[in-house]
Amino acid sequence: MSMHFFNSLTRQREPFVPLEGRRVRMYACGPTVYNFAHIGNFRTFVFVDILRRHLKWRGYELLHVMNLTDVDDKIIRDARAAGLPLREFTERYVTHFWEDADALDIERPEVTPRATDHIPEMVALIGRLIHCGCAYHSDGSTYFRIASFPRYGVLSGNKLAGNIAGGSARVEADEYEKDDVRDFVLWKRTQPDEPTWDSPLGPGRPGWHIECSAMAMKYLGESFDIHCGGVDLIFPHHENEIAQSEAATGKPFARYWLHAEHLLVDGRKMSKREGNYYTLRDLLDRGYRARAVRYVLAAVPYRKPLNFTLEGVEAAERRLKRLNETVRRLREAVPTTTNQVDETAKVVADIRQSFGAAMDDDLNTAEALAAVAQLETTVNIALSRGELTEAAKAAALAGFEDVQAVLGILDPAQPELLPADIEALIAERLAARRAKNFARADEIRAQLAAQGIILEDGKDGTRWRRA
RNA sequence: GGUGGCGUAGCCAAGUGGUAAGGCACGGGUCUGCAAAACCCUUAUUCGUCGGUUCGAUUCCGACCGCCACCUCCA
């Protein structure tokens, strides 16, 4: 069964076929580093991470580039407000971004280039555009001439910018130096108090869109397989990337465009003013675990809006606790040696198949998680009946390894030894239970519960777990 | 004004022209000395409303209602 993705470019679900055999080249628009990333940002980054993990899991060799936008209007504004040089200002948010990404188990892409380290590449690309008549200088800045690119609008369907009723007047007033209001800036003339780079285009700084074209081409070539990001980037950012890239090279830029829908918080667009704005740190400070946040972000397929609520994170915490306990019991299980017909191993194999098929189908994480739930139940039944064979155990563990490789939602195995005094109490309780001294046994259980250690009696003895 | 999307049980949510996955919560049960955990059962005759096409629609078409997004910085 092959992989399929919904391609924003064609608005259709298409079989995924890389340009070069088993090698996949992919570009993802990364963060603009002027503040802590919020969970909406991370919805997209978790989606990209799952895409990345799934491609690798299916055996593709991956070259994944994610840029860091470290120069733009907001960054300049906030760096100035903070009284810091641009690089020093962005450096700290780059660091915070990776801290958050690590907490969410987001894998590091192979290449994570920063815009300001690629000014020469951008200038060179703009030079090509001028050379082919697709760009022009005006008043110290350089603009892309949209009229030179007939395919403009293929991705977004927007043929014209400034078509908002009542909005076009403002656009025109600001942009009188352009030949056409739709044209966008490639290189901005230097401004007082702004970071400036010298270049053959004159002193100035890059416009927003050119960085992604320049860096994608540098690391991935002029044509590559996948370009992804949030839906809001479709227009103008990705539309402009296509225009400037394809105008310069005459070749198709990215073949598959994948866009993650936004998330809402409590059913509304997240905004600081509304008070429904969360960074990852906000959630960690409230005591939620990053993996639960990841689960929430991963559980809704990426093309659907996701309604984020704290209740949802709490439900995810409960869900993951059960799942992790099942995996732990499975790891510790001693398989039965009694020979018998092993139905479980076959059922598990089918479930693993379903999991992969769901993910192959445009990353249908909701359906994949249904398979995970089946796997969990199957394991628990076999375990409680004492019917888990070596083969079934191995298959089930492999199944959870699949889940972990692709979704990254499980806790790592971490065998933990209890302090000797607690072990002694557990032993004492066992003896008390054997002697039917239940009062003492319950007393010990309550005492340990107060310390966050839950005891569970089963037919193979007593297990403990953290509350 | 233009464009796109969504509306499925208390909540999150999958899905399909053929009779509604899964999770969380709730209730009942099995197991247990009692618990816990696990498991089982129950929970939408119904998929925003009204029409149409069809042997049959939640799934296709139309209208309407409600919500969201993009068209401007935004993941």
Side-chain angles (χ1 to χ4, degrees), chain A residues 49 53 100-107 291 294 404 408 410:
Chain A
D49 185 55
R53 286 161 170 265
D100 289 350
D102 288 345
L104 286 168
D105 280 327
I106 291 172
E107 293 183 351
R291 275 200 193 83
R294 181 180 172 99
Q404 185 57 6
L410 299 174

Side-chain angles (χ1 to χ4, degrees), chain A residues 433-455:
Chain A
R433 287 185 71 222
R434 290 218 171 100
K436 303 224 183 292
N437 181 356
F438 296 121
R440 177 59 185 152
D442 292 350
E443 188 184 0
I444 292 171
R445 185 167 64 193
Q447 184 187 338
L448 292 180
Q451 297 178 45
I453 295 184
I454 308 295
L455 299 185

